[in-house]
Structure formats: C-alpha cells, structure tokens
Amino acid sequence: MAGAPSRTDAERTASIVHDAAVDLVLTETAHATETSRRLSRVGRAGLTCLAVDGLRPDGYAGAPRQPVHTTADSLALLAYDSGPATAPRGALLTHGSLTAAMAGLRRTLGTDRHSWIGGWLPRHTPGLIGQVLHPLWLGATAVTLPAEPFRTDPLGWLRAISRHGITETVAPDILHARCAALLGDEPPAGLDLSRWRTALNAGEPVSAGTMAAFPHRCAPLGLRPGTLAAGYVPAEGAPVALATGARTGAGCLLRRRGPADRAPAP
C-alpha cells in the first residue's frame, strides 16, 4: 500500500480489508503514515500496520517458531484483481497452484538456480510470483529494480540488465518499444546483453512491431535470437510464455482467432 489515495483507492482498500478479514498490513517506512491514514478512513484505525524495511534480520532470532503444516490444497495467497473498487474479486491461490506455477515458469522461461531474474513489475501477483517467489523457489538470484527511473529513462533498464548480468525478465510492451526507439541505428557503447536468455514481453497488449524492432536494435549489443518472447500475465497467476516455439505451462489451452472475423485459426 503506497501513495496518496483517491476515493476509489479508499473504497478498494475498505472492500479488501473487509473481504479478507485482514489482521495485519505490511508496508514500507516511507508509506507507513499514509497507509495508517487510509486504514483509518475505512474504519480500521486499530489495524496493525508494519513497515517491513525497518525490521532487523536478527530481531527475532530467539523467538520460538512453530512449523506451519500445509498441503497442496492449503491457501497460500489471496490475490485481488483490478475489478470494481467496491467489489474486487479475490482469487484463491493454493500451495499446489503455486508449485505448478513455479514448475511452469522454469519450463517456459528456461530458468535454473544459476538464473539472475530481474525486472520492475509491481509487486502485485505476477510480479510477486515471477520476480520474488520464483527465484526463491529455484535457489536463484532476484534483482528487484525500482519502477520510476525506467519511466523517464528506459535505457536505464538495459544498463541494469547489462550491469547485473540479468538472464530472465518480464516487462511490458511499452518498455521494449521505447528502448528500441531510443537505441536507433547506433546503440550506445558499453552495454552487454549477451547473458540475457529470456525477455518476456507481457503485461499489456503485445505489438508485432515491437517484437520485430527490439531484437533488431539490440542485436549489436549481444542479444541472442529468440530471446524476446510474447507472453501473458494474468492478474491472478504467473506469467506465461506464448511465443511461437515457446512452451506454455502445464494445463494451458491456447486458441488462435483471426483478427478480422475472430474465426478459430489452425
């Protein structure tokens, strides 16, 4: 929870707090005061609001811990969509569904424990699953990047990928398109994209022009053919690769329809 809320934000907060029977809210120090105010406006002034970036790693070292026993059907996450503010819908994600999502991501993105997975997707469900939980599940490395710098300096995203040696990313079409436009015919020196293995273009409608321009502009920087793949990021689940030649997750059934008549295509 962050930022100054609009009336819609307040209504959405109230709906989620009520629907999920929230007992604890996690935030960051920079947003803690405003988050508490937002909760007060919806009648939950007594709800505990905890700034996680202020916690010390060793602060609870001596506290007793009780192991949590779960099954594949146990609830892991309650993910809310971007539907009506007064009636957001929560998707029940179980430990079994998350485990299946992890295996699907590994298969479709080609990730392993040597992966450096990075990007700036918000920490909503796809960002949480693809960029935080997936590296933890793999035993790989997560490189979390702040969003704001890349809105004004898209090439900073490529510099971060080069600097950290990021191997897998998920980013929206607009970021790939803006990078392709800014690179031009003479890309800047010092960028090395040769370690990039999978760049999933997802999160919004994917443009055929972007899918052609981005690899072309980035090839002089070492981007390998086939790195860019079109994908889909459902609000309640993990990113899925949909490009020709890429394998989708288990249980996915895809149908293609013609752009004009919407008739099913082979």
Side-chain angles (χ1 to χ4, degrees):
M1 300 178 67
S6 64
R7 181 174 180 178
T8 300
D9 292 332
E11 291 176 349
R12 178 176 174 82
T13 297
S15 298
I16 292 176
V17 166
H18 175 75
D19 184 72
V22 173
D23 292 316
L24 173 68
V25 174
L26 304 181
T27 184
E28 297 175 339
T29 301
H31 310 300
T33 300
E34 182 54 49
T35 300
S36 295
R37 289 174 181 167
R38 187 185 303 192
L39 293 170
S40 296
R41 292 189 186 103
V42 299
R44 295 301 301 271
L47 191 60
T48 301
C49 182
L50 182 64
V52 296
D53 57 333
L55 300 178
R56 292 175 49 193
D58 59 347
Y60 300 90
R65 300 183 182 182
Q66 295 295 327
V68 177
H69 300 286
T70 61
T71 68
D73 294 326
S74 298
L75 179 64
L77 292 175
L78 184 56
Y80 283 86
D81 65 8
S82 56
T86 55
R89 298 169 296 180
L92 304 175
L93 300 183
T94 65
H95 285 272
S97 63
L98 282 180
T99 299
M102 296 300 106
L105 282 173
R106 179 173 60 185
R107 179 169 54 253
T108 59
L109 301 183
T111 52
D112 55 37
R113 64 185 182 88
H114 302 294
S115 294
W116 285 62
I117 302 170
W120 60 269
L121 278 178
R123 301 298 177 262
H124 51 37
T125 310
L128 173 66
I129 292 176
Q131 297 180 173
V132 179
L133 296 185
H134 190 53
L136 287 172
W137 182 79
L138 289 168
T141 301
V143 183
T144 56
L145 305 173
E148 289 305 319
F150 305 129
R151 301 186 196 281
T152 56
D153 178 24
L155 292 184
W157 178 56
L158 296 185
R159 289 193 292 270
I161 291 170
S162 173
R163 180 170 65 255
H164 296 291
I166 292 173
T167 56
E168 286 85 22
T169 62
V170 180
D173 189 89
I174 186 62
L175 183 56
H176 294 96
R178 291 183 64 190
C179 284
L182 291 172
L183 284 173
D185 295 323
E186 296 184 9
L191 291 181
D192 178 11
L193 305 182
S194 62
R195 290 169 289 183
W196 207 353
R197 299 185 299 195
T198 304
L200 192 62
N201 182 347
E204 61 186 22
V206 175
S207 164
T210 301
M211 294 297 295
F214 185 81
H216 173 71
R217 297 295 191 188
C218 292
L221 303 175
L223 188 73
R224 290 174 282 185
T227 296
L228 184 64
Y232 174 60
V233 178
E236 303 84 10
V240 179
L242 304 179
T244 302
R247 294 169 292 178
T248 61
C252 289
L253 176 63
L254 305 180
R255 295 185 184 277
R256 294 193 304 168
R257 294 182 178 274
D261 55 8
R262 297 295 184 183

